[in-house]
Amino acid sequence: MHGISRKTPSREEQDASALKVAELRDLQYQFLHLHHNKMLIYKRSFRNKCKAVRSESRALAVQYFLNHQSETEVDSEYIQSVLNEELKVVENALKKNFKSYSAWYHRKWVLSKGHSSTDKELRLLGKFQKLDSRNFHAWSYRRFITMLKKISDEDELQYTTDTIYDNFSNYSAWHNRSVLLSHLFEKRGKGHCHKRAFWKRNLSLYIMLLFTDPDDQSGWFYHLWLLDQTVKLEPFLLSSCASSWPLVYIYQLMITWMDASLLNSLHRLKITEEGKSKSSDWSMKTIANEIAHCRELLSSTNCKIGKLTLARLLMAQNKLISYGIPNDGIEVHYEEILGLYRDLMKLDPTHICYYEDAYSLVLLKQVTYEYGIYSEILPSIWRFNFTKYGFLFLSATQ
Amino acid sequence: MCTIFNMFTRMFLPDFHEFHQIAYGRPINDRMGELKIEKHVKYILSVEKRKDDFVSVVMEHLRLNGAYWGLTTLDILGKLDAVDQDEVVSWVMQCQHECGGFGGNIGHDPHMLYTLSAIQVLALFDKIEVLDIEKVSNYIAGLQNDDGSFSGDMWGEVDTRFSYIAICSLAILHQLDKINVETAVKYILSCQNLDGGFGCTPGAESHAGQNFCCVGALAITGSLHHVDKDLLGWWLCERQVKSGGLNGRPEKLPDVCYSWWVLSCLIMIDRVHWIDKEKLVKFILDCQDKENGGISDRPDDAVDVFHTYFGVAGLSLLEYPGLKAIDPAYALPVEVVDRIFVSK
């Protein structure tokens, strides 16, 4: 049981517990009796006694008893006073157990009746999030309040920035950041120059975490997503096409290896020359910068995430080179990538099989590259249904 | 990523064998310690009888969940016949309301959370026929919202836990056609995050428990192709920390219950080899109370039936010898699932 030590309670603790049990049981029975008979609880003295029960008990009837009351009672003044009390009761219940799904939901329910100010809720939320900045219930409640209060995504993004600067090790803040960024870019459309500057700032934020504590996972997945988005911003050689017939199959650059959803959408892509050189230059430069950061990190720390990220970035760079994008003489790096995975197997033996699988994929790509088999891209003049070929490749590697 | 290519790489890299010794060399229970089966059975039977201590009173409202955890553990350990089946079935049915839903105990309000446990407990005893299937199914189907999500009860809380509960319950009852499966799947996918995992509502952070619910629901509805297995697999395998235990989110402490939530997901997406199974077995066994029985969230914490179930179920998924196999999506012994789907 969370937070309770495995020791036999003392005699005093047992006696105190027995008294508490008797009181709790008695109140709970009274509560349920009133609830089943849909009797309204007018007496303040009884409601006060019930507060103790409701702080301890997680029974739904106990949490939600007021819901029935408010749906039946016609005296709006009475309901308002009870709802105000209710907010206090829920606040106390959350202080005892801030991971209670039903308590958090009940607060939303009370708020939906319009009996508290959202400013007050934000202040309360601020206190809870200071006590536990990883509480996902609180973050969910925050999304609920910011929606009610119509707080902009930009302001909330700033909140996540402030939270991260407070403590880099906050996966919840990094996650919320990614959700907000996704919303913002959907709203703003395809302004690539604007996005590029923004991605650069966000990559820099992650670099600070990486150099502070490379073993902290908080930013790893955010960084992976950011790099993926960086390349997806630039669907080089592609434009979306309404046609449902596949013309050419392109393996879009991915830092992760296989993306089932990507393959499902490939039939909507076709090659064009539009924006080719601008997009590809930016992608190549971004990847090169990230590679430089990784090498700098690894020069001072022999860390797992540094090696893994470098391996992924080098794979991404190899892909760009294989597409014929100008690379200032940089050559493909399969040997170095294979070496990184061998290092990772020794550095992190717990996940040896993960690295083995990645290693075998890299080896396959090296072999096919050396034999000149471009399984990922064919010239645009070829009108060929690559979907089947691509899935063959996919099924062979899964 | 396929292990066929492990063979391919061995041809080129003989020193791979050294690494394989580390991963596969030792037998699974060599120096592992032992699962104290008899102690755990005794512990669960004692919890069943206990009703008057503080914890039992506070948890009274979810006794039906407790029954599912305890009874499934007994079944995995091969000791389900230690309980009075008729008494349990009779009590379960007294928890049902007119609307068809089940409360967590007699007199407690109905909710999806307890309705699934009721169905699962009846399935363990092969007594699903005592149910008015139409009534229960209508209660569950009636809680689906227009956007495909499910509420937990009449008060409207939405969470992907309830999507799993609805889909799992109705699949067991062969009544999936009562809901809109397409919108249910669509809603689950709207809760998918950048890390490949799932949260409780759209935009919510990935959590191992929610991942189990969403991946389980997608597995049951034949929709696993929507999952990025490599991405999610990496997130899941990184839940294993140095002690060998699994946590539920990055930078959190390990907890035995994630031996179920994380492990079952890894199995469903065919990536379980990405964790060190031996280390996880050792972590679970270290969380046993070897004197009094039961398993706790982490070593030396107080035991409870919730963590006892997840520890034993996790060991079953890890193929610990002497345990019945458990289905990772339905969270019931495989022979029970076979009885539901194969013999019908």
Side-chain angles (χ1 to χ4, degrees):
Chain A
M1 199 166 301
H2 301 135
I4 300 178
S5 153
R6 189 186 298 172
K7 65 174 176 78
T8 314
S10 65
R11 185 84 212 171
E12 291 78 19
E13 283 167 341
Q14 285 180 45
D15 290 341
S17 181
L19 276 172
K20 216 173 171 185
V21 165
E23 194 190 339
L24 189 60
R25 175 156 265 152
D26 179 52
L27 274 174
Q28 215 159 250
Y29 280 150
Q30 286 186 60
F31 219 102
L32 288 174
H33 171 73
L34 291 166
H35 174 65
H36 292 145
N37 293 288
K38 298 198 181 347
M39 290 163 64
L40 302 183
I41 302 175
Y42 284 104
K43 268 195 177 160
R44 184 175 279 272
S45 57
F46 183 74
R47 290 210 309 271
N48 283 340
K49 269 209 268 181
C50 290
K51 282 178 193 172
V53 179
R54 297 179 74 203
S55 293
E56 296 288 358
S57 174
R58 295 165 210 179
L60 296 171
V62 174
Q63 295 292 334
Y64 295 155
F65 93 98
L66 188 71
N67 303 23
H68 285 294
Q69 298 236 328
S70 67
E71 308 232 315
T72 326
E73 177 57 66
V74 294
D75 181 346
S76 60
E77 233 180 81
Y78 168 73
I79 286 298
Q80 182 156 354
S81 73
V82 177
L83 282 171
N84 287 336
E85 254 181 53
E86 197 66 1
L87 289 172
K88 202 70 203 155
V89 167
V90 176
E91 189 180 326
N92 289 336
L94 285 173
K95 280 175 185 163
K96 285 201 172 205
N97 176 20
F98 49 76
K99 295 182 183 181
S100 167
Y101 285 89
S102 53
W104 281 105
Y105 178 68
H106 189 52
R107 197 166 183 93
K108 281 185 193 172
W109 185 89
V110 172
L111 222 66
S112 70
K113 301 295 173 188
H115 287 275
S116 175
S117 87
T118 47
D119 284 333
K120 188 180 163 197
E121 291 304 303
L122 271 180
R123 282 195 299 275
L124 181 68
L125 202 49
K127 286 184 202 166
F128 274 118
Q129 288 193 289
K130 266 201 162 41
L131 290 171
D132 181 4
S133 59
R134 292 294 310 277
N135 185 324
F136 60 82
H137 301 281
W139 280 100
S140 173
Y141 192 69
R142 189 178 182 90
R143 276 189 293 277
F144 171 72
I145 296 296
T146 54
M147 186 191 65
L148 281 182
K149 221 175 137 46
K150 296 190 182 6
I151 294 177
S152 70
D153 285 341
E154 286 86 350
D155 286 344
E156 273 303 281
L157 195 67
Q158 186 56 48
Y159 176 79
T160 64
T161 308
D162 295 341
T163 308
I164 287 166
Y165 274 121
D166 235 1
N167 178 9
F168 278 132
S169 180
N170 191 329
Y171 188 86
S172 308
W174 290 101
H175 161 78
N176 278 276
R177 209 173 161 73
S178 71
V179 173
L180 292 161
L181 283 173
S182 304
H183 289 167
L184 280 169
F185 286 116
E186 257 174 62
K187 280 193 271 190
R188 287 182 187 173
K190 308 261 177 211
H192 286 166
C193 291
H194 173 79
K195 277 181 186 173
R196 285 177 197 173
F198 207 89
W199 288 136
K200 205 173 165 183
R201 281 201 299 276
N202 279 277
L203 285 170
S204 304
L205 187 62
Y206 171 70
I207 295 300
M208 281 193 278
L209 165 63
L210 188 63
F211 279 80
T212 306
D213 185 356
D215 291 331
D216 190 309
Q217 293 189 5
S218 301
W220 290 4
F221 302 90
Y222 175 83
H223 184 238
L224 190 62
W225 171 77
L226 209 55
L227 288 173
D228 180 49
Q229 295 302 302
T230 300
V231 181
K232 271 189 181 159
L233 279 177
E234 316 294 336
F236 60 93
L237 305 180
L238 306 170
S239 68
S240 61
C241 167
S243 166
S244 61
W245 290 102
L247 295 177
V248 178
Y249 174 95
I250 296 270
Y251 242 132
Q252 197 174 38
L253 182 63
M254 290 288 285
I255 307 302
T256 53
W257 298 279
M258 299 294 175
D259 182 3
S261 59
L262 164 66
L263 286 163
N264 287 338
S265 65
L266 278 170
H267 69 276
R268 285 191 282 278
L269 305 176
K270 72 174 183 195
I271 282 188
T272 72
E273 289 296 308
E274 192 184 317
K276 176 178 169 179
S277 54
K278 269 195 236 169
S279 307
S280 48
D281 278 352
W282 189 83
S283 297
M284 193 59 105
K285 275 196 185 111
T286 306
I287 298 290
N289 278 340
E290 291 304 297
I291 287 171
H293 285 133
C294 275
R295 293 199 192 284
E296 189 189 337
L297 177 71
L298 288 168
S299 68
S300 58
T301 315
N302 189 30
C303 64
K304 159 179 155 176
I305 192 60
K307 288 183 185 282
L308 185 57
T309 307
L310 181 57
R312 288 167 170 170
L313 285 164
L314 291 172
M315 281 294 282
Q317 192 175 60
N318 286 351
K319 270 204 194 321
L320 286 172
I321 293 168
S322 71
Y323 294 157
I325 290 163
N327 54 319
D328 293 331
I330 299 169
E331 293 181 353
V332 295
H333 293 282
Y334 289 114
E335 277 309 322
E336 186 181 356
I337 298 169
L338 292 170
L340 285 164
Y341 280 116
R342 282 196 293 270
D343 290 346
L344 282 163
M345 288 174 210
K346 288 179 189 159
L347 196 57
D348 183 20
T350 299
H351 300 108
I352 189 172
C353 293
Y354 175 77
Y355 302 124
E356 279 184 6
D357 283 2
Y359 184 102
S360 54
L361 206 64
V362 174
L363 196 60
L364 179 70
K365 288 199 188 296
Q366 181 187 41
V367 167
T368 52
Y369 173 75
E370 283 168 4
Y371 280 98
I373 302 168
Y374 294 98
S375 59
E376 293 145 355
I377 183 172
L378 285 174
S380 59
I381 57 168
W382 290 25
R383 289 180 175 271
F384 184 79
N385 186 338
F386 275 89
T387 309
K388 281 183 189 163
Y389 182 81
F391 275 103
L392 184 67
F393 183 75
L394 177 64
S395 62
T397 56
Q398 276 196 336
Chain B
M1 295 193 287
C2 181
T3 53
I4 287 173
F5 288 100
N6 290 340
M7 291 166 57
F8 180 69
T9 53
R10 281 192 196 114
M11 288 158 50
F12 292 88
L13 292 154
D15 55 349
F16 249 68
H17 291 292
E18 177 195 340
F19 300 128
H20 275 272
Q21 282 294 323
I22 298 164
Y24 306 117
R26 279 182 241 129
I28 199 153
N29 54 350
D30 181 26
R31 301 191 299 113
M32 279 293 99
E34 191 194 323
L35 180 65
K36 303 285 183 195
I37 293 177
E38 292 305 323
K39 297 270 184 189
H40 298 319
V41 170
K42 205 171 156 193
Y43 167 73
I44 289 168
L45 294 175
S46 75
V47 168
E48 199 225 339
K49 306 232 174 325
R50 210 187 298 160
K51 286 176 188 166
D52 294 320
D53 61 322
F54 183 72
V55 170
S56 301
V57 171
V58 167
M59 300 295 183
E60 187 183 274
H61 66 289
L62 50 76
R63 197 170 167 82
L64 197 33
N65 290 152
Y68 159 72
W69 297 324
L71 294 168
T72 312
T73 308
L74 289 176
D75 200 6
I76 294 170
L77 299 175
K79 304 282 185 193
L80 188 60
D81 53 4
V83 298
D84 183 334
Q85 177 183 292
D86 292 334
E87 191 185 329
V88 173
V89 171
S90 164
W91 167 73
V92 167
M93 295 312 295
Q94 288 178 74
C95 296
Q96 190 173 27
H97 289 252
E98 263 316 296
C99 61
F102 286 76
N105 206 336
I106 299 170
H108 284 262
D109 285 355
H111 197 282
M112 287 271 235
L113 291 168
Y114 314 115
T115 305
L116 174 61
S117 288
I119 294 169
Q120 287 172 316
V121 167
L122 294 173
L124 285 173
F125 291 125
D126 196 13
K127 289 283 183 195
I128 290 186
E129 77 270 8
V130 310
L131 277 175
D132 179 339
I133 289 178
E134 188 73 10
K135 195 168 161 180
V136 181
S137 309
N138 287 341
Y139 168 74
I140 295 169
L143 288 165
Q144 184 170 29
N145 302 307
D146 290 340
D147 63 357
S149 66
F150 285 85
S151 298
D153 66 1
M154 60 184 285
W155 300 112
E157 183 190 3
V158 166
D159 189 311
T160 45
R161 288 177 296 151
F162 310 143
S163 302
Y164 169 74
I165 285 170
I167 286 167
C168 184
S169 301
L170 292 175
I172 291 172
L173 300 175
H174 304 280
Q175 301 288 318
L176 264 178
D177 53 357
K178 280 199 180 290
I179 58 167
N180 187 330
V181 173
E182 196 185 324
T183 58
V185 166
K186 208 168 156 196
Y187 180 77
I188 290 169
L189 295 175
S190 74
C191 299
Q192 198 169 29
N193 293 316
L194 66 98
D195 46 32
F198 297 84
C200 42
T201 47
E205 185 183 338
S206 299
H207 182 278
Q210 307 298 145
N211 284 345
F212 162 75
C213 292
C214 294
V215 173
L218 293 173
I220 293 171
T221 54
S223 314
L224 273 178
H225 55 280
H226 293 292
V227 175
D228 186 334
K229 292 174 185 166
D230 288 338
L231 182 58
L232 178 57
W234 183 50
W235 189 91
L236 288 167
C237 81
E238 284 293 343
R239 295 309 102 238
Q240 187 162 39
V241 298
K242 285 199 172 83
S243 64
L246 305 177
N247 61 24
R249 293 186 283 161
E251 301 305 312
K252 287 282 185 172
L253 293 173
D255 183 324
V256 151
C257 66
Y258 297 114
S259 308
W260 172 264
W261 307 122
V262 173
L263 206 52
S264 56
C265 276
L266 282 168
I267 288 176
M268 286 191 271
I269 61 170
D270 194 26
R271 299 290 186 270
V272 72
H273 59 292
W274 285 0
I275 60 160
D276 185 328
K277 293 193 211 175
E278 202 172 286
K279 277 176 97 169
L280 180 56
V281 167
K282 184 174 184 309
F283 177 82
I284 298 172
L285 293 175
D286 284 347
C287 293
Q288 297 179 98
D289 182 340
K290 292 174 183 164
E291 293 305 313
N292 303 305
I295 297 176
S296 54
D297 56 330
R298 49 189 79 97
D300 302 324
D301 269 358
V303 302
D304 57 56
V305 72
F306 173 87
H307 289 97
T308 304
Y309 163 66
F310 287 117
V312 170
L315 288 171
S316 170
L317 289 178
L318 292 163
E319 298 173 295
Y320 189 89
L323 304 183
K324 279 195 195 175
I326 186 163
D327 184 285
Y330 289 96
L332 284 167
V334 168
E335 64 183 27
V336 172
V337 176
D338 284 349
R339 205 164 55 208
I340 293 167
F341 292 105
V342 175
S343 57
K344 288 267 177 226

